[in-house]
Amino acid sequence: MVRTKSEQQVEFRCIRGGSGETEMHKILNNAEELYGKGRMFNHMFLAPGRSIGEHRHEGDNEIFYFLKGSGVYSDNGNPVRVGPGDTAVCSSGESHSLKNDGDEPLEFIALILY
Amino acid sequence: MVRTKSEQQVEFRCIRGGSGETEMHKILNNAEELYGKGRMFNHMFLAPGRSIGEHRHEGDNEIFYFLKGSGVYSDNGNPVRVGPGDTAVCSSGESHSLKNDGDEPLEFIALILY
């Protein structure tokens, strides 16, 4: 099955009390499409100045893989500069947040696995 | 945990009898890092003229999400033009292949879930 870009679901959402909305392009649309192994697989775009608020994962695990731009990732409260080619992992029981403090969109892949 | 680009594992492999090697940048390194839910999560680079050979998936499922370039994806033998923003899914029991027939690298995310 091929789903073209024109058929891709796009959602704008303020995530976990962050600043502004995150643009979420769905690579897969739901848990069923993830074969029951997770619940999100998105190409994300965070505009300059915007953020995803700090939150804790319980019972699932989230992976960010950065494609473009620059930002500050909170890894359990420790700020880490992130950019293209970096991977950030937030396992169950851990917390994270993300802020685009650069001047271009911060693009990343986000995957949540159970 | 943040793994920086400089720590990223990169592997070159001729995949399933394709033409030339595919450059595989590992977002996660193994099944354990995928929480036992899959076995591969890579940022892939296929140079112009190179391909991944046709093969069938049994017992796992592979998702390609295209970031850059242009190629021809075989969806169970049916050729489909793919490019940025397109998603291709090969579920267990299906087959696929991929060829970069463009003049720039074909970049995509590949995820295999059980």
Side-chain angles (χ1 to χ4, degrees):
Chain A
M1 179 276 283
V2 175
R3 181 182 293 139
T4 65
K5 181 178 172 61
S6 65
E7 299 167 313
Q8 194 179 47
Q9 292 185 16
V10 178
E11 196 179 314
F12 294 80
R13 199 197 301 170
C14 176
I15 302 178
R16 308 288 187 143
S19 170
E21 292 180 326
T22 303
E23 187 176 332
M24 308 163 74
H25 293 222
K26 299 191 176 191
I27 299 173
L28 296 177
N29 292 333
N30 50 48
E32 190 184 355
E33 289 193 356
L34 275 149
Y35 304 94
K37 301 301 191 294
R39 63 178 173 84
M40 200 186 81
F41 188 24
N42 288 344
H43 185 179
M44 311 278 265
F45 298 78
L46 194 59
R50 295 193 176 178
S51 64
I52 293 171
E54 184 88 15
H55 61 282
R56 188 180 176 90
H57 281 262
E58 289 290 354
D60 59 29
N61 314 279
E62 185 160 28
I63 301 106
F64 290 165
Y65 176 68
F66 297 93
L67 297 169
K68 280 187 195 165
S70 180
V72 178
Y73 178 83
S74 159
D75 184 33
N76 293 301
N78 302 310
V80 183
R81 167 74 43 203
V82 289
D86 296 339
T87 296
V89 175
C90 183
S91 294
S92 180
E94 297 188 305
S95 64
H96 65 170
S97 66
L98 181 64
K99 181 175 172 61
N100 183 351
D101 64 347
D103 52 12
E104 60 173 326
L106 181 59
E107 271 189 53
F108 58 104
I109 302 293
L111 172 67
I112 295 180
L113 294 176
Y114 296 135
Chain B
M1 180 274 284
V2 175
R3 183 181 292 139
T4 65
K5 182 178 170 62
S6 65
E7 300 167 312
Q8 193 179 47
Q9 292 186 16
V10 178
E11 197 181 315
F12 294 81
R13 199 197 301 169
C14 177
I15 302 178
R16 308 289 187 141
S19 171
E21 292 179 326
T22 303
E23 187 177 332
M24 307 163 74
H25 293 221
K26 299 191 177 192
I27 299 172
L28 296 176
N29 290 334
N30 51 48
E32 190 184 354
E33 288 193 356
L34 276 149
Y35 304 92
K37 301 301 191 294
R39 62 178 173 86
M40 200 186 82
F41 189 24
N42 288 343
H43 186 179
M44 311 279 266
F45 298 78
L46 195 59
R50 295 193 177 178
S51 64
I52 293 171
E54 184 88 15
H55 62 281
R56 188 179 175 90
H57 281 263
E58 290 290 354
D60 59 30
N61 315 279
E62 186 162 27
I63 301 106
F64 289 165
Y65 176 68
F66 297 94
L67 297 169
K68 281 186 195 168
S70 180
V72 178
Y73 177 84
S74 160
D75 185 32
N76 293 301
N78 301 311
V80 182
R81 167 73 46 201
V82 288
D86 296 339
T87 296
V89 175
C90 184
S91 294
S92 180
E94 298 189 305
S95 64
H96 65 170
S97 67
L98 181 64
K99 182 176 171 61
N100 182 351
D101 65 347
D103 52 13
E104 60 174 325
L106 182 58
E107 271 189 53
F108 58 104
I109 302 293
L111 173 67
I112 296 181
L113 294 175
Y114 297 134

